[in-house]
Amino acid sequence: MARPDGVSAVRQAVTEHLEAHARADTRVHDIRLALSEGVTNAVVHAFRGRLEPGIVVVGVCVDRAAGATELTVRDDGVGLSPRDDSPGIGLGMPLIHRLADEVVYRRPAGGGTELWMRFQP
């Protein structure tokens, strides 16, 4: 379930995965921060109007040969849309774009949002 207390657990799990499988020149701190922002955005924004939170799935792909790391954050919520009552200050997405080398937002066929990020060494 997408709950605020789950953000740190996901961040820790991804960090441990990177420490075990990524190259030494992987930008772990940038990845952790962008991941935190992406998951937090899903938790805070994707399920507004629901009584119960939905699901957020995080994927990590490490290409040791190229040194690249790809992350996906996918939710089954309402997707990215402007909102007048946002509890945030609007810096999460610009920060993600600044930290990652590539960023793509997708609207999967089944609904929700998928955020894809690629980090080069």
Side-chain angles (χ1 to χ4, degrees), residues 92-106:
M93 295 306 207
L95 181 60
I96 289 170
H97 278 275
R98 189 135 173 101
L99 293 169
D101 295 295
E102 296 177 65
V103 178
V104 176
Y105 301 99
R106 300 179 182 122

Side-chain angles (χ1 to χ4, degrees), residues 51-69:
L51 295 177
E52 291 292 324
I55 303 295
V56 175
V57 177
V58 174
V60 182
C61 179
V62 175
D63 180 346
R64 285 187 59 87
T69 301

